[in-house]
Amino acid sequence: MDSSENQKNKTSLKTLVVSFWTLISRIFGVLRDIATTYILGAGVAHDVFVVMLKIPNLFRRLVAEGAFSQAFIPVFTEYKNNQSREELKKLIDLTFTAISSLVLFLCVVFMIFAPGFYFDPLKKSLAIEILRITFPYLFFMSLVAFFGSILNSFSLFSIPAATPIAFNLSLIIGAIFFTDYFELPVLAIAWGVFIAGLIQFLINIIPIIKLKLLPKFKFDFNHPGLKKISILMLPGILSGGIIQINILIDTIFASLLKTGSPTWLYLSDRLIQLPLGIFAIAAATVILPALSNATAVKNDLEFNEKFNWALKFIFIVGIPSSVGLYFLSLEIISILFLRGEFSTSDALMTSYSLKAFCFGLIAFMAIKILNVGFFARQDPKTPMYVALISLILNVILNWLFAFQFGYGHVGLAIGSVIAAVVSFFILIFILMRRSILILEEKSMIFLLKIIASSLGLLALLIGFQTLIPNFLDFSLLIQIFNLLLIIFLGAFVYFGLMFIFGFRMSFFKN
């Protein structure tokens, strides 16, 4: 096996490792949502908690999965390949000092993220109390993201990918075992967020110590490496986190709609995050150091091969995921959340926004990969301009669909989808025009095979809903069995058709 083939195998293996741990984390995330919706339903307390939780989660996604890692890893990789160990350690110390200072400043402005609550005294009081409890979590997560980026640069992907499991477990334990000790059950869950931040910090600092890269406070804001990271990061806050910023805008608008809207939007977003996190974020996490390294050694062939592989991977899993989530939305939501304080009406409302998000899932996923192409080349400005267009478009569309056309929380999802689709086409056009991405031969034929196989999956799902029209009338055990059966059959039909069209599972190895 030649060196190029070996590198491909390593990249695909690392992607699968990150996907595995992300899958486990997302499963625990769903269990967390089951616990919180059972206790809180879709009422005022859960609405407030959802919006307040958006604050640390937005920061985690922007930093851990977006702007910071996309700015830091290319520069860190450059120093690791071309500078001494002492210079590398100095860059870590200075970056640690800068990000620690930055996060303390950012925390004080986070209350603006739920303006709708200021018109309701009860919601405002509860929001302030929850934010005070969860405030330190933001600081812990900034350091977790920083440590995770260092570990990823050394190809140590498992610990950063598995870390969110601790967050979900902490909230589950708080919801199940400690709500009886608080006058308001939601406060037990808020304290779970605080504990989760501390645990995740401790998990990630141990391998950093083993690498002998434990950072120290050191000030030198004129350091060229730190300046380069800052230049890449500032526009990256927009370009790297475009999806999360758009969803945050949805949350802001949702807090102005009727009670239940933030919860419905949050749960549909959580389900969309399953394929997005398991596949797109996992691939982007692995491909960024790989593309950065190819750029550092000026290997354009390797850069393009891995870029093409990542995009094909996204379309192979993204299109059937969209079809499945759309047609099984109500069934999935009912099995997961329809109990306790969460009503049939809540399940139906959540399914509407989930269906809307499904139309943009492939764009959400692809944007993660396309942005990596720019950041690996240390060009954050182009995706920043695209992100600005998307943000402006999203705000306008939110106002139109949610308020003017009266679609409520579903209109917010539609606005995000349209904005993401526009961004996708702009990004891929620029990448191809600049020859950063050169699509391989027969890419269009490959896409048509995926679409044809997805149509076979679509026919199966329509047949399933025709044969079992009263899915929710069955017991929970029978519902779970039927859902698992149709998912298994769907995967068999989809990959069976792909096999007939010439696709082989060795793709995931190569």
Side-chain angles (χ1 to χ4, degrees):
M1 182 181 292
D2 61 29
S3 177
S4 176
E5 190 72 16
N6 190 42
Q7 285 298 319
K8 287 181 182 180
N9 290 343
K10 287 182 178 179
T11 300
S12 57
L13 178 61
K14 291 169 186 175
T15 303
L16 292 176
V17 168
V18 176
S19 293
F20 169 76
W21 284 115
T22 305
L23 171 62
I24 300 300
S25 174
R26 301 293 176 173
I27 290 173
F28 276 101
V30 172
L31 294 176
R32 177 197 80 200
D33 292 331
I34 291 172
T36 56
T37 52
Y38 176 80
I39 293 170
L40 304 176
V44 171
H46 198 273
D47 281 354
V48 174
F49 178 72
V50 161
V51 176
M52 291 301 100
L53 191 62
K54 278 290 181 183
I55 297 172
N57 273 344
L58 171 78
F59 193 80
R60 173 179 62 83
R61 289 170 181 172
L62 278 177
V63 175
E65 299 163 1
F68 176 75
S69 62
Q70 289 175 332
F72 177 75
I73 289 178
V75 178
F76 186 83
T77 302
E78 182 181 319
Y79 269 67
K80 187 158 69 78
N81 288 336
N82 303 320
Q83 301 291 337
S84 66
R85 179 82 173 186
E86 290 73 20
E87 282 296 318
L88 183 68
K89 181 60 167 60
K90 184 177 181 181
L91 178 66
I92 291 174
D93 292 341
L94 294 174
T95 307
F96 168 76
T97 303
I99 195 170
S100 299
S101 304
L102 176 64
V103 68
L104 291 176
F105 169 77
L106 290 176
C107 286
V108 301
V109 300
F110 280 153
M111 278 302 294
I112 66 173
F113 287 166
F117 292 162
Y118 284 95
F119 301 104
D120 187 322
L122 175 62
K123 290 182 179 180
K124 179 180 178 180
S125 175
L126 186 58
I128 292 173
E129 189 167 3
I130 291 174
L131 192 61
R132 284 172 177 170
I133 296 171
T134 58
F135 185 93
Y137 174 81
L138 304 180
F139 180 75
F140 288 132
M141 285 311 300
S142 68
L143 298 183
V144 168
F146 174 60
F147 295 151
S149 295
I150 295 174
L151 295 175
N152 287 341
S153 297
F154 281 92
S155 295
L156 300 174
F157 296 101
S158 295
I159 291 177
T163 296
I165 296 173
F167 173 82
N168 294 319
L169 273 175
S170 181
L171 267 66
I172 291 170
I173 292 171
I176 295 176
F177 297 105
F178 291 96
T179 51
D180 291 341
Y181 296 94
F182 291 85
E183 182 179 353
L184 295 175
V186 69
L187 296 183
I189 303 172
W191 278 108
V193 173
F194 171 84
I195 298 298
L198 179 59
I199 293 173
Q200 290 178 92
F201 171 77
L202 294 175
I203 289 173
N204 279 266
I205 201 172
I206 293 173
I208 294 295
I209 294 173
K210 289 183 178 180
L211 288 171
K212 297 181 180 180
L213 293 175
L214 185 67
K216 300 177 182 178
F217 282 100
K218 185 178 290 186
F219 292 89
D220 182 5
F221 294 114
N222 290 320
H223 187 272
L226 186 61
K227 283 184 175 181
K228 183 178 286 189
I229 292 170
S230 301
I231 292 171
L232 292 171
M233 183 177 175
L234 290 176
I237 290 174
L238 286 176
S239 56
I242 177 175
I243 298 172
Q244 304 311 323
I245 292 174
N246 279 334
I247 291 175
L248 176 63
I249 291 174
D250 293 344
T251 305
I252 293 173
F253 278 101
S255 70
L256 298 168
L257 296 170
K258 65 181 180 179
T259 297
S261 296
T263 298
W264 303 328
L265 199 69
Y266 165 78
L267 292 176
S268 55
D269 170 41
R270 290 290 301 160
L271 291 174
I272 278 293
Q273 289 294 328
L274 283 172
L276 183 61
I278 294 168
F279 302 120
I281 294 174
T285 299
V286 173
I287 213 72
L288 176 57
L291 295 185
S292 298
N293 186 68
T295 300
V297 299
K298 299 181 180 180
N299 190 336
D300 292 336
L301 179 61
E302 181 182 344
F303 183 98
N304 199 63
E305 283 182 350
K306 291 184 176 179
F307 208 172
N308 272 272
W309 182 89
L311 284 173
K312 286 182 177 180
F313 174 76
I314 290 304
F315 276 86
I316 287 172
V317 296
I319 292 179
S321 295
S322 302
V323 174
L325 277 175
Y326 182 90
F327 281 93
L328 298 174
S329 57
L330 184 58
E331 289 84 352
I332 293 172
I333 291 165
S334 297
I335 288 175
L336 294 177
F337 306 118
L338 188 53
R339 60 185 58 84
E341 297 298 318
F342 196 81
S343 67
T344 303
S345 174
D346 292 326
L348 196 61
M349 289 294 189
T350 304
S351 72
Y352 292 155
S353 49
L354 177 58
K355 286 183 176 182
F357 276 132
C358 286
F359 285 99
L361 177 58
I362 194 67
F364 294 150
M365 296 175 74
I367 286 171
K368 284 290 183 183
I369 303 299
L370 296 177
N371 277 334
V372 166
F374 289 102
F375 277 91
R377 293 294 179 94
Q378 299 187 19
D379 172 21
K381 292 186 178 180
T382 300
M384 180 192 72
Y385 295 139
V386 177
L388 285 173
I389 294 171
S390 178
L391 285 172
I392 295 169
L393 182 61
N394 191 42
V395 170
I396 295 171
L397 292 173
N398 277 350
W399 176 74
L400 283 175
F401 285 105
F403 297 98
Q404 296 303 306
F405 298 160
Y407 293 141
H409 73 293
V410 179
L412 301 180
I414 294 172
S416 284
V417 166
I418 296 174
V421 170
V422 170
S423 296
F424 165 76
F425 281 111
I426 295 175
L427 287 170
I428 201 164
F429 173 78
I430 295 173
L431 284 167
M432 293 177 66
R433 185 177 180 85
R434 295 181 181 176
S435 298
I436 298 175
L437 170 66
I438 302 173
L439 291 178
E440 296 175 349
E441 293 182 10
K442 300 182 180 179
S443 292
M444 187 56 65
I445 295 175
F446 189 80
L447 178 59
L448 290 175
K449 291 178 181 178
I450 296 173
I451 293 173
S453 300
S454 297
L455 289 175
L457 171 62
L458 173 64
L460 175 70
L461 294 175
I462 293 175
F464 166 75
Q465 293 185 329
T466 303
L467 292 173
I468 311 178
N470 301 317
F471 181 88
L472 300 183
D473 292 342
F474 294 100
S475 66
L476 179 61
L477 190 61
I478 298 299
Q479 288 182 35
I480 294 173
F481 175 80
N482 286 338
L483 182 62
L484 291 176
L485 178 63
I486 194 62
I487 290 174
F488 174 79
L489 290 176
F492 179 80
V493 168
Y494 174 74
F495 283 107
L497 289 171
M498 286 292 289
F499 183 85
I500 292 172
F501 293 139
F503 176 79
R504 296 295 179 264
M505 297 303 288
S506 59
F507 168 86
F508 295 108
K509 180 181 178 182
N510 295 328

